[in-house]
Amino acid sequence: MVADCGSTQISVALIERVNGHHRLLARGEAISTHRFPWLDATVGLREAVRQIESLVGRSLLAEGRLLIKSQNQTMDGVDAFVAVSSAGAPLQVVLAGLTRSLSLASAQRALAATYTLTSGLLAIDEGPTSRDPNTQLQTLRLARPDVIFITGGTDGGAVHPVIKVAQLVALYNQLLEPEERPLIFYAGNAHLADEIAALFAAAGKLQVVANVRPGAELENLGQAQTELEAIYLKRSLALLPGLDTLRQWADRPIIPATRSFGQLIRYLGDRYQLKVVGMDLGSTSTSLAARAGDLFSLTTRADLGIGFSAGTALEQVPLEHVVRWLPFEIEPTDARDILLNKSLHPASVPQTRQDLLLEYALGREIMRQIVAQARPGWLRGGHHMLAHTPQWDLIVGVGRTLTRTPHPGYAALLLLDALEPVGVSQIALDAGGIATGLGAIAAVQPLAAAEVVEHDAFLNLGTVVAPLGTARPGEVALRVKVCYDDGREVQQEVMYGSIALIPLAAGARATLELHPTRRFDMGLGEPGRGVTAEAEGGILGLIIDARGRPLVLPAKDEDRRRLVREWMECLLL
Amino acid sequence: MKGGRGPLLAHTRGSPMTRIHIRRVLPAPGEILVKMGDQVEAPQRIARIPRHGEFQVINVAHTLGLANHDLSRVMVKKRGDRVEAGELLAAKREGLPFLHKPCRSPITGRLVAIGYGWVVIEAESSGEGQFAPGDKTGDLRAFVAGQVTSIVDRRSVTIETVGAYISGACGVGGEGNGILQVLAKNPADTLTADQIGMGANNAILVGGAGISPDALDRAREMQVQGIIVGGISSSLYDLATGFSFPIVATEGYGNLPMSPIVFDILKRHEGREASLSGQTGDARDNLQPAIIVPLAEHQPEMENWPLIEDVSVEFAHVGHQVRVVRHPLLGRVGELISMPTTPQQVPSGLSLPGAQVAFKNLERLVYQQDSILTRDEGHLQPDVVQFVPWLNLEHII
């Protein structure tokens, strides 16, 4: 059994061997109960488990505790229990370093692997004001950080500026009571580790890890990410009411949901030799994981979510960017009110179509923000094409906003608008609601995780074909010939700015002959060059997205709304 | 649903009379000024962290032209010393007398840190004054009248009282105490400037659905202690952030009629002293806006209101009073009358499990595809039954 304790909802899934294979047997859900008045995460967990008990007709709880099979003679109970969570408050971190584009950028990528919020930034390379100790001190005082992350200097590189920053932080620590002092996390010039340790010997708790930027072109995030996650587990997740009970039930330490999700995406890429990107759009946080060859990237934004974090998301995304995705007019204040009310009741669901489309519009912008943040990291992984013209073999959508839509076309459109993939990609949704738990399951029962991935985890929406390029409206972007396995053929011209849907049922396969016109490129770097590709069918079929890359929305309101309506209608929305 | 019960629901507090425990927490260890069992009044200081002045960092090493950052040979003042503006902090006395350099304090205050060539002076302050939201120093007041029932060393005081407790959906500003003045005749009214007279001074005003920008300005002129409305537009929210008094919206953002239950409670308590908090915390703080009306003992009304001792949250049951938290019925209160076993489709297209809820006096709601719904307020429909998804319902406790 696996539990995902989110900030808004708790879901539990039961996996068992059926006819020799591990299958997802049943799921249960309840609202999260770690807040008042319950102040105990296990209240909601037990409710979700009871739902599974009703479905499978067996006892899984006894006297409120989880039954473990090895401890009883009946068929009741489970063999193993693991849990993931995203419900802990994010760590508040001040970043202090030299150069925003180098060491601080690497530090931010390290922070992005778990649930953190950057509440202040000291970047010494931003002019006299940024170097003024009074400004720096004020930044630290206002930020109330849990952790101060100091970085800067390649190994054997800059010395004096790094020491200066550390000294200012040590001075700040002198102003605080010992129990108030934040943890100092040093991941800069390794040659300075002893000197840094001496600074904080009497004034704070220090943790030293490998430099996140040991060379100008070298990035080393692994140890920093591992240790930051450990700090999050200890300082934040450990405080979750009810976690002690959960720990007693679990076979393994409870891990952050984002790590488990990242492990799944890495597994999919390695197991099936694919370039995979996964987007988990959550209530409080959103995670983007990518695996392509040696590249693995995990970006977590604890301030961007469609529920609890809708308010903070609106602080970062201009409202006009949100409403541009709507096929109707709405007063900006009304749009903001509706979305802010969602943040007050994050588990609530849209009952009107207006609310639904507004939530989806915000979801698009949240996902686009996180993609923009992750891209430089893809470039650093040597994947120029990924960074500039993302070409994925498989796109995975996770989170209730994406997986519980009135029509799967909504989910497809959301992911296409967010990721703007180029080339030929498969789209799948976490229909089983289990993706974030699969990484944790793999740690105890790898075969179970693999078999659930194979059989039950994903709903295949189909294949999307998207050429890179733009043109004038009305021009042909792509000529497609679909050769079905049964010998039928379909040919279609797709105009620039449009989406076409060609039937290709789930389980069916076809060979595609793709002929982009001279302004368009199927991701080979050669406009106009045709390619042949294999396509797998799905719930939606074959989606030809000829809206152009980059995706450009008309500036004129009426034209844009008409186009958005047309795109939705193309996908039968 | 198993056993005739529905799922766990989110909740909101709207109790006319309940036992209330308010935990007052200092943002950092400080000084507790009361003891167990003390009776306290709302404006009374119960704890404090002496207010810090602004910090000023002085680069002594640079000023004196020192080759290194060791200040031990040049400091005239030491950590903890009080210094006046212009007073000598450090001096380099090596070499010829005319080359001696002084470093003087730019401000009056206390020397609080020395290190790495710098000193930090904390500017002098009176040490008093209430916490403003986000402050880490200042006075902590009781906020409600009651009895001290728990003290955690240097950090928090719990005060117990009995009275009305209402959760706010959102709020802005700090805390305020004042006499409740109900200006709205109807929970759907908008509070306007002409309703706010001289009598509003030091009062907590209760409006209906919302408040106009003019009314906000007028309230500020009248120096009210707080405002309670059903909803507040996000466009006014930014304006109100700068005000000195709290504003609490009981239903959320937008022009939203106040819940009749909440309006009724406030109307019953009109004329009484109330405590209002507009503070909304982040994920760490778990703060929520609140309205509290403590009741003195032996008040006749108390005999008619059952005292809710324990906030025990049950599973949803037929007969429960529930509140809707999402459009188009946001803020409406109704009675849960049945629990269908199969999901039902709502206008958004989603198919969801939920309940049939009976609403009284619901104005006819007119939907239009993709546009804001309109209310046909001339037509009230008694006893309308609507399907509402479980996730869009909360208990009122």
Side-chain angles (χ1 to χ4, degrees), chain B residues 175-254:
Chain B
E175 297 173 343
N177 295 89
I179 302 295
L180 275 180
Q181 200 178 102
V182 180
L183 299 181
K185 290 189 174 51
N186 185 310
D189 289 347
T190 297
L191 192 57
T192 53
D194 55 294
Q195 292 176 276
I196 302 174
M198 298 299 296
N201 179 248
N202 280 327
I204 290 179
L205 307 183
V206 179
I211 184 166
S212 70
D214 291 347
L216 263 185
D217 280 336
R218 180 95 174 122
R220 187 170 46 170
E221 282 169 22
M222 289 294 111
Q223 297 184 332
V224 303
Q225 285 294 314
I227 296 176
I228 305 167
V229 285
I232 181 162
S233 165
S234 52
S235 61
L236 290 185
Y237 190 90
D238 294 333
L239 170 70
T241 303
F243 288 6
S244 62
F245 53 85
I247 302 174
V248 170
T250 58
E251 312 307 318
Y253 294 93

Side-chain angles (χ1 to χ4, degrees), chain A residues 249-293:
Chain A
W249 292 2
D251 287 78
R252 288 289 177 108
I254 296 161
I255 63 171
T258 192
R259 198 225 294 182
S260 179
F261 171 65
Q263 286 170 344
L264 168 70
I265 299 302
R266 190 198 287 259
Y267 167 77
L268 289 173
D270 294 348
R271 168 76 176 83
Y272 299 101
Q273 296 290 292
L274 300 171
K275 296 196 291 289
V276 185
V277 66
M279 178 77 76
D280 181 1
L281 177 61
S283 174
T284 304
S285 62
T286 296
S287 297
L288 177 69
R291 179 65 161 172

Side-chain angles (χ1 to χ4, degrees), chain A residues 9 30-31 33-39 43-44 47 50-51 53-54 89-90 92 133-134 136-138 141 143-146 160 164 167-168 170-171 174-177 179-180 199 327-331 333-334 336-338 340-345 347-357 359-360 404-406 410 565, chain B residues 2 5-11 13 27-29 52-57 59 69 79 112-116 118-120 136 154 169-170 232-235 251-256 282-286 311 313 315 323-328 330 346-350 352 367 369-373 387-389 391-392 394 397:
Chain A
Q9 290 197 280
I31 57 170
T33 53
H34 55 279
R35 291 197 170 84
F36 185 85
W38 305 278
L39 295 176
V43 171
E47 170 62 9
R50 282 189 204 105
Q51 291 173 17
E53 286 181 320
S54 290
Q92 303 278 340
N134 284 292
Q136 294 170 352
L137 199 65
Q138 182 72 349
R141 288 186 73 202
R144 295 201 304 160
D146 300 310
H160 178 72
K164 231 23 209 167
Q167 284 174 345
L168 190 279
L171 200 68
Q174 285 188 34
L175 304 175
L176 302 173
E177 300 278 331
E179 62 268 28
E180 288 183 279
L199 280 177
F328 54 84
E329 189 179 355
I330 186 169
E331 284 293 329
T333 303
D334 290 334
R336 189 182 298 276
D337 288 345
I338 291 169
L340 288 175
N341 280 328
K342 168 77 179 186
S343 73
L344 299 178
H345 306 285
S348 67
V349 287
Q351 281 187 242
T352 67
R353 187 170 152 83
Q354 174 184 258
D355 274 20
L356 181 87
L357 295 180
E359 267 192 38
Y360 289 169
R404 299 207 186 154
T405 56
Y410 284 110
R565 266 196 296 273
Chain B
K2 179 181 176 179
R5 64 154 171 88
L8 284 171
L9 295 183
H11 77 288
R13 298 298 307 277
H52 289 311
E54 289 299 314
F55 290 115
Q56 179 88 36
V57 181
N59 194 341
H69 293 154
R79 192 172 171 190
V112 291
I114 301 175
Y116 322 114
W118 292 312
V119 303
V120 182
K136 288 197 71 179
R154 297 184 68 208
C170 56
I232 181 162
S233 165
S234 52
S235 61
E251 312 307 318
Y253 294 93
N255 193 287
L256 301 170
D282 57 27
R284 294 181 293 182
D285 296 337
N286 250 327
V311 179
V313 181
F315 294 92
R323 178 172 168 270
V324 184
V325 300
R326 202 73 196 250
H327 282 301
L330 175 55
V346 294
S348 63
L350 290 168
L352 299 156
Y367 295 83
Q369 177 80 352
D370 289 351
S371 69
I372 300 168
L373 65 91
F387 174 80
V388 183
L391 290 173
N392 291 357
E394 54 182 24
I397 52 171

Side-chain angles (χ1 to χ4, degrees), chain B residues 291-360:
Chain B
I291 307 158
I292 299 169
V293 188
L295 293 175
E297 289 186 20
H298 307 305
Q299 291 189 320
E301 300 86 349
M302 292 169 71
E303 290 168 21
N304 296 325
W305 296 338
L307 175 63
I308 300 169
E309 288 279 5
D310 290 319
V311 179
S312 64
V313 181
E314 305 165 42
F315 294 92
H317 276 283
V318 168
H320 271 170
Q321 220 169 31
V322 289
R323 178 172 168 270
V324 184
V325 300
R326 202 73 196 250
H327 282 301
L329 295 172
L330 175 55
R332 302 315 197 269
V333 175
E335 182 183 329
L336 207 163
I337 60 169
S338 76
M339 301 187 289
T341 52
T342 52
Q344 298 194 16
Q345 196 173 55
V346 294
S348 63
L350 290 168
S351 230
L352 299 156
Q356 296 285 352
V357 181
F359 299 93
K360 292 189 184 310

